[in-house]
Amino acid sequence: MPKILLTAAGSYGDVAPYTGVGARLRAAGHEVALATHDSYAPLVRAAGLEFRRLPADPRSPRPDTDGPARTAGPGSTRALMGRAAAFVQELAGGLADAALQGADLLLLSTTTAPLGHHLAEAMHLPSLDLPLVPGAPTGDFAPVVGGGRSLGRWGNRTAGRLSLRVLDRLYAEATRELRARLGLPPATARTVRRRTEAAGRPVLHGFSEVLLPRPADWPARLEVVGNWWPWHAPDARLPPVVEDFLAAGPPPVFLGLGSMAGGDGERLGALAADALRRAGLRGILQAGWAGLTAPEHPDLLTVGALPHALLFPRMSAVVHHCGAGTAAAGLRAGVPTVPVPVTADQPFWAARLAALGVATAPIPFRDLSADHGAARLAHALTQATDAPARRDRALAAAHRLAAEDGAGEVAEAVDRLTA
């Protein structure tokens, strides 16, 4: 069997789904390594995969970006691009180190694919792109990182092409340095991307058509195969303190922001507690990267990391930032969602959930800081928990998701590549 190297970088939601893919490939008899950040090493190893370290761990303290981005303001586009480019540049060398430890096939995430293509070229390896979000231009919707507001079919396609050029710029310096290290002739990120597209390799997208139908104007090589779910032990159970809380009253509401809003945990926890009190609901607050905390109360429990697959089905509704993985997990559980998108692709997925009729209207995260943030959240919680039709639609969507096997589709594609 060939040695498979999965590569994934970023937040938990950017990495965890690939542990499910890796575990499925391992069960099929493959030898699988997952290259990612130190924060996820325990999860990778628990899934039975070899761990290979990548730098640029987002959970580690990082120095300010050097150069023009430092003086552009922390929230400016130039600052964000500067930080992202520095992240990519640091990542490139780590990916090369991981691949050079041995691999016969590269499986690449959205973040690692633009770098992994150079590794595949230098090492003469087959590769397969496994993005969690749609990135190719289409008339059906605007680029997901733009919030998803449609610009019309022509405008959507044009914006999609422009977004690829921005991505090429983001990877430009890392591309130059990586190709030099690998002994490859100079080539721009745009040239390599177009070369890859022209080769006609399949791209398997790890989201469900239940939430986002595959665009009809995509070329055939761009496939949508269904979600990949984070691995958890088959005998995993919720902690006794959680089971006791669940047994003590009606199903609570889940509230969490994942890797978002770091350092604002106390304020957000107090706001969540106020909203739950106004709505007359019980709640489970997940600390996450923000470190959400709330005053002790018999109707509110604060927890750490728990598998969404075990927790969400026990909830009356879920409140979260709508990262791709969390949005899918809520849909899989068959419970209504209150979307609180923060940035990147989150407004896009929040809008998709609302359009499907399984979520309330999104509440942009910045609106929680307004004077009536708690009241607005409480109103949304009431809407989510008091609407049987919304729950029925969520259950119907969950039933359709249960019929999909995204990881199995990847395993079949790997078999075809390695036959």
Side-chain angles (χ1 to χ4, degrees):
M1 283 286 187
K3 180 64 175 280
I4 297 172
L5 177 61
L6 276 159
T7 63
S11 69
Y12 177 88
D14 298 318
V15 174
Y18 297 97
T19 62
V21 173
R24 182 61 172 270
L25 292 170
R26 182 175 175 271
H30 295 284
E31 187 179 357
V32 185
L34 174 53
T36 188
H37 312 297
D38 288 332
S39 297
Y40 313 116
L43 176 61
V44 171
R45 292 182 174 125
L49 312 178
E50 176 193 341
F51 171 74
R52 296 186 185 178
R53 180 184 181 275
L54 291 184
D57 191 330
R59 294 300 301 267
S60 301
R62 303 182 60 76
D64 290 339
T65 303
D66 293 330
R70 291 188 66 182
T71 59
S76 71
T77 301
R78 289 177 64 194
L80 293 173
M81 285 292 289
R83 286 194 293 272
F87 172 82
V88 166
Q89 202 165 347
E90 188 177 354
L91 192 62
L95 279 169
D97 292 339
L100 291 171
Q101 293 177 45
D104 301 304
L105 170 65
L106 300 179
L107 303 184
L108 309 169
S109 72
T110 304
T111 308
T112 61
L115 301 168
H117 295 153
H118 308 291
L119 296 170
E121 179 185 346
M123 300 173 69
H124 306 287
L125 296 178
S127 66
L128 186 63
D129 286 15
L130 304 178
L132 294 171
V133 296
T138 174
D140 288 5
F141 47 82
V144 296
V145 293
R149 179 175 173 272
S150 179
L151 306 171
R153 296 197 65 83
W154 181 88
N156 289 342
R157 279 192 291 267
T158 301
R161 288 191 289 267
L162 288 173
S163 73
L164 292 179
R165 293 185 183 180
V166 171
L167 193 68
D168 293 338
R169 286 180 55 197
L170 182 65
Y171 282 83
E173 186 62 23
T175 292
R176 184 187 65 77
E177 293 184 3
L178 182 58
R179 291 185 70 84
R181 172 181 171 176
L182 297 172
L184 295 172
T188 65
R190 184 181 185 186
T191 297
V192 174
R193 172 175 58 78
R194 288 186 164 180
R195 231 184 251 164
T196 302
E197 293 169 352
R201 299 173 188 162
V203 176
L204 307 187
H205 292 82
F207 59 85
S208 173
E209 290 198 74
V210 173
L211 188 54
L212 181 66
R214 179 188 179 278
D217 58 357
W218 270 6
R221 70 185 187 89
L222 303 182
E223 304 176 36
V224 176
V225 300
N227 291 98
W228 309 313
W229 306 109
W231 179 88
H232 65 81
D235 60 349
R237 299 289 184 271
L238 293 173
V241 65
V242 177
E243 289 289 359
D244 290 345
F245 181 78
L246 292 171
V253 171
F254 169 90
L255 301 100
L257 291 173
S259 59
M260 298 291 107
D264 205 15
E266 188 173 349
R267 181 188 70 82
L268 291 171
L271 184 147
D274 187 13
L276 288 165
R277 179 186 58 77
R278 291 169 184 251
L281 296 168
R282 306 168 73 228
I284 290 183
L285 194 66
Q286 189 170 56
W289 290 17
L292 298 186
T293 58
E296 288 191 21
H297 191 279
D299 286 337
L300 183 62
L301 177 68
T302 301
V303 300
L306 294 173
H308 289 162
L310 300 182
L311 186 63
F312 280 12
R314 310 280 294 275
M315 302 294 104
S316 60
V318 291
V319 182
H320 56 75
H321 61 302
C322 279
T326 315
L331 199 61
R332 183 192 194 191
V335 297
T337 295
V338 176
V340 185
V342 183
T343 187
D345 61 330
Q346 296 158 19
F348 177 85
W349 296 115
R352 289 305 309 164
L353 289 171
L356 192 60
V358 300
T360 63
I363 304 174
F365 175 75
R366 63 180 178 275
D367 289 359
L368 292 184
S369 299
D371 293 340
H372 303 293
R376 184 171 178 184
L377 180 57
H379 177 66
L381 288 171
T382 301
Q383 285 185 312
T385 55
D386 283 355
R390 186 174 284 115
R391 175 171 284 273
D392 289 345
R393 287 190 290 267
L395 287 169
H399 182 72
R400 292 170 60 194
L401 276 182
E404 299 179 346
D405 184 12
E409 295 282 348
V410 175
E412 289 182 10
V414 166
D415 287 343
R416 290 192 295 270
L417 274 175
T418 57

mmCIF file of all heavy atoms in Angstrom, residues 231-247:
data_model
loop_
_atom_site.group_PDB
_atom_site.id
_atom_site.type_symbol
_atom_site.label_atom_id
_atom_site.label_comp_id
_atom_site.label_asym_id
_atom_site.label_seq_id
_atom_site.Cartn_x
_atom_site.Cartn_y
_atom_site.Cartn_z
ATOM 1 N N TRP A 231 -12.763 12.744 13.505
ATOM 2 C CA TRP A 231 -12.725 11.435 14.160
ATOM 3 C C TRP A 231 -12.998 11.587 15.650
ATOM 4 O O TRP A 231 -12.551 12.543 16.283
ATOM 5 C CB TRP A 231 -11.348 10.800 13.969
ATOM 6 C CG TRP A 231 -11.225 9.453 14.644
ATOM 7 C CD1 TRP A 231 -11.533 8.235 14.130
ATOM 8 C CD2 TRP A 231 -10.777 9.223 15.982
ATOM 9 N NE1 TRP A 231 -11.307 7.257 15.059
ATOM 10 C CE2 TRP A 231 -10.850 7.824 16.214
ATOM 11 C CE3 TRP A 231 -10.327 10.047 17.025
ATOM 12 C CZ2 TRP A 231 -10.475 7.241 17.412
ATOM 13 C CZ3 TRP A 231 -9.968 9.475 18.229
ATOM 14 C CH2 TRP A 231 -10.030 8.082 18.415
ATOM 15 N N HIS A 232 -13.733 10.665 16.209
ATOM 16 C CA HIS A 232 -13.780 10.516 17.667
ATOM 17 C C HIS A 232 -13.908 9.029 17.963
ATOM 18 O O HIS A 232 -14.387 8.243 17.135
ATOM 19 C CB HIS A 232 -14.913 11.323 18.315
ATOM 20 C CG HIS A 232 -16.300 10.888 17.940
ATOM 21 N ND1 HIS A 232 -16.931 9.813 18.529
ATOM 22 C CD2 HIS A 232 -17.183 11.376 17.032
ATOM 23 C CE1 HIS A 232 -18.128 9.664 18.024
ATOM 24 N NE2 HIS A 232 -18.318 10.590 17.108
ATOM 25 N N ALA A 233 -13.459 8.624 19.126
ATOM 26 C CA ALA A 233 -13.435 7.213 19.486
ATOM 27 C C ALA A 233 -14.845 6.628 19.431
ATOM 28 O O ALA A 233 -15.805 7.266 19.872
ATOM 29 C CB ALA A 233 -12.855 7.036 20.888
ATOM 30 N N PRO A 234 -14.994 5.420 18.895
ATOM 31 C CA PRO A 234 -16.328 4.811 18.793
ATOM 32 C C PRO A 234 -17.025 4.676 20.140
ATOM 33 O O PRO A 234 -18.256 4.705 20.204
ATOM 34 C CB PRO A 234 -16.034 3.438 18.177
ATOM 35 C CG PRO A 234 -14.715 3.592 17.475
ATOM 36 C CD PRO A 234 -13.945 4.589 18.276
ATOM 37 N N ASP A 235 -16.247 4.531 21.209
ATOM 38 C CA ASP A 235 -16.849 4.375 22.540
ATOM 39 C C ASP A 235 -16.875 5.682 23.331
ATOM 40 O O ASP A 235 -17.116 5.675 24.546
ATOM 41 C CB ASP A 235 -16.098 3.307 23.337
ATOM 42 C CG ASP A 235 -14.618 3.662 23.529
ATOM 43 O OD1 ASP A 235 -14.140 4.615 22.883
ATOM 44 O OD2 ASP A 235 -13.951 2.968 24.324
ATOM 45 N N ALA A 236 -16.643 6.811 22.652
ATOM 46 C CA ALA A 236 -16.616 8.104 23.344
ATOM 47 C C ALA A 236 -17.996 8.430 23.921
ATOM 48 O O ALA A 236 -19.030 8.137 23.305
ATOM 49 C CB ALA A 236 -16.175 9.209 22.396
ATOM 50 N N ARG A 237 -18.001 9.028 25.086
ATOM 51 C CA ARG A 237 -19.232 9.449 25.746
ATOM 52 C C ARG A 237 -19.067 10.874 26.262
ATOM 53 O O ARG A 237 -17.949 11.332 26.501
ATOM 54 C CB ARG A 237 -19.561 8.524 26.933
ATOM 55 C CG ARG A 237 -19.778 7.060 26.556
ATOM 56 C CD ARG A 237 -21.085 6.879 25.792
ATOM 57 N NE ARG A 237 -21.344 5.469 25.499
ATOM 58 C CZ ARG A 237 -20.916 4.839 24.401
ATOM 59 N NH1 ARG A 237 -20.196 5.495 23.498
ATOM 60 N NH2 ARG A 237 -21.205 3.574 24.202
ATOM 61 N N LEU A 238 -20.176 11.559 26.453
ATOM 62 C CA LEU A 238 -20.117 12.874 27.074
ATOM 63 C C LEU A 238 -19.727 12.708 28.543
ATOM 64 O O LEU A 238 -20.076 11.712 29.177
ATOM 65 C CB LEU A 238 -21.473 13.565 26.964
ATOM 66 C CG LEU A 238 -21.918 13.961 25.551
ATOM 67 C CD1 LEU A 238 -23.347 14.486 25.586
ATOM 68 C CD2 LEU A 238 -20.974 14.998 24.952
ATOM 69 N N PRO A 239 -19.004 13.683 29.100
ATOM 70 C CA PRO A 239 -18.616 13.585 30.513
ATOM 71 C C PRO A 239 -19.826 13.501 31.431
ATOM 72 O O PRO A 239 -20.906 14.032 31.111
ATOM 73 C CB PRO A 239 -17.833 14.891 30.747
ATOM 74 C CG PRO A 239 -17.405 15.343 29.383
ATOM 75 C CD PRO A 239 -18.481 14.888 28.451
ATOM 76 N N PRO A 240 -19.681 12.855 32.585
ATOM 77 C CA PRO A 240 -20.807 12.733 33.527
ATOM 78 C C PRO A 240 -21.436 14.068 33.899
ATOM 79 O O PRO A 240 -22.664 14.154 34.049
ATOM 80 C CB PRO A 240 -20.172 12.049 34.740
ATOM 81 C CG PRO A 240 -19.042 11.257 34.164
ATOM 82 C CD PRO A 240 -18.510 12.082 33.036
ATOM 83 N N VAL A 241 -20.611 15.130 34.053
ATOM 84 C CA VAL A 241 -21.170 16.421 34.433
ATOM 85 C C VAL A 241 -22.117 16.943 33.354
ATOM 86 O O VAL A 241 -23.136 17.586 33.659
ATOM 87 C CB VAL A 241 -20.043 17.447 34.730
ATOM 88 C CG1 VAL A 241 -19.234 17.754 33.471
ATOM 89 C CG2 VAL A 241 -20.612 18.728 35.319
ATOM 90 N N VAL A 242 -21.814 16.641 32.090
ATOM 91 C CA VAL A 242 -22.695 17.063 30.995
ATOM 92 C C VAL A 242 -23.966 16.219 30.992
ATOM 93 O O VAL A 242 -25.077 16.745 30.831
ATOM 94 C CB VAL A 242 -21.957 16.971 29.639
ATOM 95 C CG1 VAL A 242 -22.904 17.349 28.497
ATOM 96 C CG2 VAL A 242 -20.740 17.888 29.632
ATOM 97 N N GLU A 243 -23.809 14.909 31.162
ATOM 98 C CA GLU A 243 -24.985 14.038 31.205
ATOM 99 C C GLU A 243 -25.911 14.426 32.358
ATOM 100 O O GLU A 243 -27.141 14.447 32.213
ATOM 101 C CB GLU A 243 -24.552 12.580 31.344
ATOM 102 C CG GLU A 243 -23.907 11.988 30.094
ATOM 103 C CD GLU A 243 -24.913 11.753 28.968
ATOM 104 O OE1 GLU A 243 -26.117 12.033 29.156
ATOM 105 O OE2 GLU A 243 -24.487 11.302 27.894
ATOM 106 N N ASP A 244 -25.330 14.756 33.502
ATOM 107 C CA ASP A 244 -26.142 15.169 34.649
ATOM 108 C C ASP A 244 -26.908 16.454 34.339
ATOM 109 O O ASP A 244 -28.086 16.596 34.703
ATOM 110 C CB ASP A 244 -25.259 15.371 35.882
ATOM 111 C CG ASP A 244 -24.705 14.068 36.426
ATOM 112 O OD1 ASP A 244 -25.207 12.996 36.036
ATOM 113 O OD2 ASP A 244 -23.746 14.123 37.222
ATOM 114 N N PHE A 245 -26.234 17.396 33.681
ATOM 115 C CA PHE A 245 -26.884 18.662 33.330
ATOM 116 C C PHE A 245 -28.029 18.412 32.353
ATOM 117 O O PHE A 245 -29.127 18.983 32.489
ATOM 118 C CB PHE A 245 -25.863 19.621 32.734
ATOM 119 C CG PHE A 245 -26.424 20.965 32.366
ATOM 120 C CD1 PHE A 245 -26.658 21.934 33.328
ATOM 121 C CD2 PHE A 245 -26.737 21.257 31.042
ATOM 122 C CE1 PHE A 245 -27.189 23.173 32.983
ATOM 123 C CE2 PHE A 245 -27.259 22.490 30.688
ATOM 124 C CZ PHE A 245 -27.494 23.446 31.661
ATOM 125 N N LEU A 246 -27.788 17.569 31.353
ATOM 126 C CA LEU A 246 -28.829 17.275 30.374
ATOM 127 C C LEU A 246 -30.038 16.619 31.026
ATOM 128 O O LEU A 246 -31.192 16.899 30.646
ATOM 129 C CB LEU A 246 -28.265 16.367 29.275
ATOM 130 C CG LEU A 246 -27.220 16.988 28.346
ATOM 131 C CD1 LEU A 246 -26.595 15.930 27.458
ATOM 132 C CD2 LEU A 246 -27.840 18.085 27.488
ATOM 133 N N ALA A 247 -29.792 15.761 32.005
ATOM 134 C CA ALA A 247 -30.889 15.045 32.663
ATOM 135 C C ALA A 247 -31.688 15.931 33.619
ATOM 136 O O ALA A 247 -32.808 15.566 34.013
ATOM 137 C CB ALA A 247 -30.334 13.846 33.423
#
